[in-house]
């Protein structure tokens, strides 16, 4: 594994695919087996990147164009990698990251219509060699995912309906295009990427995720005294 002694796993997919529930379940399972686990997310995951997250998700940067947004996502990613992800991997931690570079390829690159060379250059600078050992892509039809995301947000807010964020507001065919783009990444990089059918039960999906991760654990040493860090 490229990130030894740690292990770096990213989780990708459209809105409402159930990534955060599955990350939580996987983290609990790994911790119960004595591994040191860090769960984190993008955009965000470090103080600097969390500051940029607000600018991006509120839509404050939208008027300045998708190129500006792409650079801001990359700035946040660079800080997150340097301050949090790489140091954790060096300590032998298993890092579970909710979205990473593939979200920029898909949201800003494919559906933002930015040139692949521009996205590739930003990616190279932002990840600076720290590429996930494994990327699990949660695949779900856009209409089902968006419906789930909306229900979840409303439930979290009580009786008041919640405004969708900058990216959730986009049209259904844009979300479908993103789904296709994630599948294409998986097709082109079969060694790094695995696709999970996210329409099935939470239990079945958790089983798939464990089956994907278990063979990767050989190179990771369980912590002497496991601790349970979470950055969100
Ligand atoms: P978040 O509330 O974290 O949503 P989710 O549960 O869908 O992960 O919002 C993150 C949003 O930012 C999401 O719509 C995807 C988008 N995004 C990008 O457009 N590019 C990126 O590089 C990343 C990391 C996220």
């Amino acid at each position: 594994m490229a990130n030894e002694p740690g292990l770096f796993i990213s989780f990708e997919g459209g809105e409402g695919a159930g990534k955060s529930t599955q990350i939580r379940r996987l983290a609990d399972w790994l911790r119960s087996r004595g591994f040191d686990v860090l769960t984190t997310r993008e955009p965000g995951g470090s103080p600097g990147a969390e500051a940029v997250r607000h600018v991006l998700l509120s839509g404050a940067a939208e008027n300045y164009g998708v190129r500006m947004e792409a650079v801001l996502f990359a700035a946040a990613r660079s800080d997150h990698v340097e301050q949090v992800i790489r140091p954790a991997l060096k300590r032998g931690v298993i890092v579970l990251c909710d979205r990473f570079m593939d979200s920029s390829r898909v949201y800003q690159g494919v559906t933002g219509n930015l040139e692949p060379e521009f996205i590739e250059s930003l990616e190279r600078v932002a990840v600076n060699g720290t590429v996930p050992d494994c990327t699990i892509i949660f695949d779900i039809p856009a209409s089902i995912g968006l419906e789930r995301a909306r229900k979840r947000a409303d439930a979290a807010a009580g009786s008041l309906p919640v405004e969708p964020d900058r990216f959730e507001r986009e049209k259904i065919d844009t979300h479908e295009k993103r789904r296709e783009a994630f599948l294409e990444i998986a097709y082109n990089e079969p060694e790094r990427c695995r696709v999970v059918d996210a329409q099935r039960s939470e239990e079945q999906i958790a089983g798939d995720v464990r089956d994907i991760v278990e063979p990767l654990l050989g190179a990771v040493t369980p912590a002497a005294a496991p601790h349970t860090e979470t950055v969100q």
Side-chain angles (χ1 to χ4, degrees):
M1 291 290 131
N3 293 301
E4 272 177 47
L7 179 68
F8 183 17
I9 307 176
S10 62
F11 297 78
E12 299 278 6
E15 317 292 325
K19 288 180 280 101
S20 28
T21 307
Q22 293 298 335
I23 291 172
R24 221 175 302 124
R25 288 185 67 132
L26 178 65
D28 288 348
W29 179 70
L30 289 168
R31 284 172 184 143
S32 74
R33 297 186 52 173
F35 291 100
D36 206 345
V37 180
L38 171 74
T39 63
T40 186
R41 66 153 181 212
E42 290 208 343
S46 62
E50 288 291 330
V52 177
R53 175 184 175 89
H54 175 71
V55 173
L56 284 163
L57 296 195
S58 66
E62 195 175 355
N63 284 342
Y64 306 118
V66 67
R67 197 174 282 270
M68 172 73 145
E69 288 182 311
V71 176
L72 289 172
F73 275 111
R77 180 159 305 125
S78 166
D79 192 66
H80 187 206
V81 166
E82 303 300 330
Q83 302 296 324
V84 174
I85 297 177
R86 191 171 315 113
L89 293 169
K90 281 203 176 127
R91 296 198 305 274
V93 171
I94 301 180
V95 177
L96 308 181
C97 190
D98 191 344
R99 297 194 182 280
F100 195 63
M101 62 190 198
D102 300 298
S103 281
S104 284
R105 291 189 193 177
V106 168
Y107 282 71
Q108 284 67 54
V110 176
T111 56
N113 288 316
L114 287 180
E115 318 82 80
E117 299 73 31
F118 184 71
I119 291 291
E120 279 161 26
S121 315
L122 286 179
E123 179 177 300
R124 214 170 312 116
V125 171
V127 309
N128 195 13
T130 300
V131 172
D133 297 297
C134 174
T135 297
I136 302 180
I137 295 173
F138 288 75
D139 180 50
I140 192 161
S143 55
I144 298 177
L146 284 172
E147 185 58 32
R148 276 203 205 165
R150 213 158 290 141
K151 280 198 186 132
R152 189 184 54 200
D154 289 348
S159 54
L160 291 173
V162 170
E163 285 295 308
D165 74 28
R166 143 92 180 88
F167 295 96
E168 285 165 355
R169 279 198 296 273
E170 287 166 321
K171 289 195 207 77
I172 189 91
D173 47 319
T174 303
H175 290 280
E176 254 327 309
K177 240 190 234 164
R178 289 178 184 147
R179 181 188 185 198
E180 294 305 317
F182 277 121
L183 292 176
E184 196 175 325
I185 292 174
Y187 181 81
N188 289 329
E189 291 182 63
E191 269 156 37
R192 173 173 67 89
C193 301
R194 301 289 300 273
V195 178
V196 163
D197 174 358
Q199 276 193 85
R200 293 164 325 130
S201 73
E202 192 184 308
E203 212 54 52
Q204 283 173 315
I205 300 169
D208 282 3
V209 170
R210 282 198 294 268
D211 289 347
I212 293 169
V213 172
E214 188 145 38
L216 310 178
L217 297 174
V220 186
T221 321
H227 61 280
T228 52
E229 264 179 286
T230 292
V231 181
Q232 281 221 354

